[in-house]
Amino acid sequence: MTQELVSLTIIMAVAAVSPIVAQLIPGRFIPQTVLLLAAGTALGPYGLGVIEVNDAVKLLNELGMAFLFLLAGYEIDPKRLAGHQGKVGLLTWGITLGLAWLVVTFLPFFTKQGINGVATVIALTTTALGTLMPILKERNLEGTPIGDAIISYGTWGELGPILAMAILLSTRTGWQTMLVLGAFLAICLLCAMLPTKALKTGHRLYRFLTENANTSSQTLMRLTTFLLIFLVTISALFELDAVLGAFAAGFILRYIIPDGSKSLEMKLEGVGYGFLIPVFFVVSGAAINVRAVAGRPALLVAFIVMLMLIRAVPVYVALSLDKRENPLSSHHRVTVALYCTTALPIIVAVTSLAVKVGTMQSDTASTLVAAGAITVFLMPLLGSITYQVADVHPVTAVREIAHTPSDWQTIVREHAQVRALLHHQDRLKRMAETLESLEKQEGLNGLDSRRAELVERARLEIDRQLKELGLDPQLTTQLPHNYRYPKN
């Protein structure tokens, strides 16, 4: 017991320090998740060895992964899945799966590496939606057209591989697999229909649950946790991966509460991101054998490149062909495609399963997990850089410098000021929307009043900065995206 507590203490110390370190890094370009993975790798069995991945830690790790996929499933709006962008996302994932199968089957490189199996195909089609959600929130992309596109395409990048794992990696025959999945689906439907019916009829049990949701009974939180563990247990009994049960629990929860519940969400995020999910990421990092990864650099790089070609390119092409319904600019489409190439949890799950059944070596699994961990850092970083570089209009800048080389310093400075101005404009728009929503509420409480005051002060400060640039703040909402900063 002592060693278990020591390992857990070190893991939680890493979890507590990671957000502070991420905040101190200039530009905050490294997500907390990356720091958790790196710390796990450094302190785990293949590093300093101070974290021991024993049975107790493994259980918490499984619960952390379950909470991560619960929250990922909860973020999915069923209407979005059935909508236009959801259908395009499904088609895109299907094309991605076909491309991955062709590459893994016929490219000699994968055959030589001994990873030309179904597990590798699935790993190349995944999007880590659960990992991306906190990153999208940190970077204020949630609720924006870019964020909505990432969620729409990323949903199938998470759900598709989960279903593929259940069907393609099963050790049963085809009809047995479909029978088991049918039984699991029936249980999920029952779990969804009973609470929904109680909600519609206003049953006394439902009233009791809602009335005691925020008391010491914490009825809704307890029922949600029960639903999660119950479906994960059913998955284990049916010899399915726990990821399927956890994701189904989140999806059922969203179906029962279609408009969401802020109180319940805060509690789930508190337990998940405050305790269990950091344990999952640290333990995932601890599973990476650094020596094995260093011994196969070609596989590491090739897998990341293949992820970009197989996952990012189809998403970009789909967004480009669907411009009528989703009129994103070219660099925004690149941003969405890069974010959708972020992969880790499914890679951890699929490689663990492949190692367990003997179709993949542990060293190879470590390399693929390391590649997935790198994408958690690399893809959001590239997406952010793409966005910022595009706002500077580098092609236009190069043309202007070629025309008047002597003014290159002025041209570079002006284009940098354009990017800063556009950033201020985005902030102004978001803050104005927040203020308007607060003003529409009847009787603001003390907290909302302070928020409204802060928003108003921020808006005045941005107006002041715009005036210093020689611009009228009232006209910034009409500012074209290719605006040229006026010369003095």
Side-chain angles (χ1 to χ4, degrees), residues 309-372:
L309 293 176
I310 292 172
R311 185 68 185 140
V313 173
V315 170
Y316 179 83
V317 172
L319 287 168
S320 300
L321 295 176
D322 196 35
K323 286 180 66 176
R324 189 170 184 178
E325 293 289 337
N326 301 289
L328 294 175
S329 61
S330 59
H331 69 283
H332 284 170
R333 296 197 296 273
V334 172
T335 299
V336 172
L338 288 170
Y339 271 95
C340 286
T341 314
T342 303
L344 180 65
I346 292 291
I347 294 179
V348 172
V350 75
T351 54
S352 298
L353 186 57
V355 170
K356 186 177 180 181
V357 299
T359 58
M360 183 180 292
Q361 295 180 354
S362 58
D363 288 355
T364 303
S366 284
T367 305
L368 299 190
V369 170

Side-chain angles (χ1 to χ4, degrees), residues 369-393:
V369 170
I374 290 172
T375 64
V376 176
F377 163 71
L378 183 63
M379 300 308 169
L381 175 63
L382 291 177
S384 177
I385 291 174
T386 301
Y387 184 85
Q388 294 181 21
V389 169
D391 279 343
V392 180
H393 301 284

